[in-house]
Structures are given as structure tokens and as C-alpha cells.
């Protein structure tokens, strides 16, 4: 199975500041024939199911604010929240879907400083 | 609008089985594969398996092979997940989650809509 590791485990960011979450996979999840990275990001608020934010490492799901962006390729990826809002307090997960079983990172908790 | 509505909280004894249902609405049920993902208390997300709502074909995570069964009922647009031989480590919230890809034999293994979750507690 591909192991997905996130860092940091938690971070506190001031309102309006940038939040950056890292995600690393144990092997490349770049599919060379399509040049797509098989990585998604989710946001999970307390008591709610996860919500899809980004797929193909950088494509925003419909309706997701543009302050959320994804980048990276191969084994190293980043989710950036450009200007943190109060409603962004949540746990964020990355997930590889390059091979089965799809696997998730352990999550990064984002709080307000 | 797309909705996945799951059955309610379950409390089971060790060794028992549990069956969780997920009723879909707001889209063509047979055109999107459905997955099950679970989350133990305070823990991360774990994929369990996938079911084809059209043909009924399934694929399960190796960890659950032999004690998990996913089925679907096209007449009610519902998928079911049954897990047997429950242990305390199976205490978790179980989610159904729709695959992002639509169309015959299209699956992406990432998830655009999720059910609200069903808490299954295994305790003697």
C-alpha cells in the first residue's frame, strides 16, 4: 500500500494569514501517460463528513473558494489556504488514488492563532 | 441535489454483524460507483471497498476480505455494507462516499459526496 504522510500534525494561523499543509507519498503518484498526479485534498469539520476540495493535486472542486490551492508533483504536495478564514478551521486530509487501496494521510488540524 | 442518507447508530456485541445502508438521491444511481470509508474515534480515514451500483460488482480492501459484503438495491437506490465478526477495533463512523467519476465502468477512487456517517459501537 502507498503510505501518505502529512505534516505538520496541527498548526495555528492568524486570520487572514497563509496556511500551508504538506503531504508526501511513499512512491510517485504521477501517472506519466496523463501527466496527472493522483492526489486529492479534503476538509473535515467536527461532526461532519469530509468535503472534497481538490483533485488531480491542483484542480479545485466546483464551489470551493479560490483561497484554497493545491500544488506539487511526484511524491510531494502542498495545500495552501492563502488567507485563513474562521470557517476554515478543520482537519485536512490528503488522499492518493493512484493505486488501490486508496490511502489517506493522518490529517492536519488547522486552528486560529 | 445529491444526497446520501445513511441508516442510524448501531450498538453491537463482539462477534456480531452489522449492516449499514446508504440511500442515494438527486442523481442517476447506477452511473456512479459507491465506496465505504470508515473513521475510528479521533482517527483518520480508512477505505473499505467499492460497489458498482449498476452490475453489483465489488472490490474490498484486503484487510476486510472474508468479513465484508457490499450490495446494492437499484429499486430503492440504496447500497448496503455488512461487516461480520465485529471486534472493538471496528468501533467507528462508517461513511458511504460517491466516486467522482460518472458513466459505465468509470471509477476514480476519490469521493465527491459523502453520507452523514453511521456510528457503529462494538462493546460487550
Amino acid at each position: 500500500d502507498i503510505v501518505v504522510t502529512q505534516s505538520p500534525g496541527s498548526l495555528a494561523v492568524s486570520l487572514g494569514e497563509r496556511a500551508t499543509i504538506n503531504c508526501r507519498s511513499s512512491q510517485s503518484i504521477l501517472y506519466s501517460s496523463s501527466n496527472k498526479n493522483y492526489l486529492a485534498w479534503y476538509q473535515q469539520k467536527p461532526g461532519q463528513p469530509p468535503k472534497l476540495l481538490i483533485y488531480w493535486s491542483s484542480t479545485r472542486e466546483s464551489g470551493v473558494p479560490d483561497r484554497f490551492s493545491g500544488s506539487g508533483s511526484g511524491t510531494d504536495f502542498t495545500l495552501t489556504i492563502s488567507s485563513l478564514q474562521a470557517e476554515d478551521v478543520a482537519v485536512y486530509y490528503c488522499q492518493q488514488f493512484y493505486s488501490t487501496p486508496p490511502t489517506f494521510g493522518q490529517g492536519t488540524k488547522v486552528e486560529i492563532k | 441535489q445529491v444526497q446520501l442518507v445513511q441508516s442510524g447508530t448501531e450498538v453491537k456485541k463482539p462477534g456480531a454483524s452489522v449492516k449499514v445502508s446508504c440511500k442515494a438521491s438527486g442523481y442517476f444511481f447506477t452511473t456512479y460507483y459507491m465506496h465505504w470509508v470508515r473513521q475510528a474515534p479521533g482517527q483518520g480515514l480508512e477505505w473499505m471497498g467499492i460497489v458498482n451500483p449498476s452490475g453489483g460488482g465489488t472490490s474490498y480492501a484486503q484487510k476486510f476480505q472474508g468479513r465484508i459484503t457490499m450490495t446494492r438495491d437499484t429499486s430503492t437506490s440504496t447500497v448496503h455494507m455488512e461487516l461480520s465478526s465485529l471486534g472493538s477495533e471496528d468501533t467507528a463512523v462508517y461513511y458511504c462516499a460517491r466516486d467522482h467519476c460518472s458513466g459505465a465502468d468509470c471509477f476514480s477512487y476519490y469521493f465527491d459526496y459523502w453520507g452523514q456517517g453511521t456510528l457503529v459501537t462494538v462493546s460487550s
Side-chain angles (χ1 to χ4, degrees), chain A residues 42 44 50 55 61 93 95, chain B residues 39 100 108-111 114:
Chain A
Y42 300 86
Q44 186 177 33
Y55 55 96
E61 174 72 335
Y93 294 93
Q95 178 229 331
Chain B
Q39 186 171 36
H100 191 267
S108 64
Y109 282 85
Y110 63 96
F111 323 112
W114 296 64

Side-chain angles (χ1 to χ4, degrees), chain B residues 27-33 52-55 72 74 77 103-105:
Chain B
Y27 70 97
F28 290 110
F29 176 69
T30 56
T31 57
Y32 290 83
Y33 281 65
N52 177 357
S54 179
R72 95 288 187 224
T74 55
S77 299
D105 296 324

Side-chain angles (χ1 to χ4, degrees), chain A residues 4-22:
Chain A
V4 180
T5 304
Q6 290 181 232
S7 62
S10 64
L11 75 161
V13 176
S14 299
L15 288 172
E17 296 299 305
R18 179 186 301 261
T20 301
I21 301 168
N22 301 303

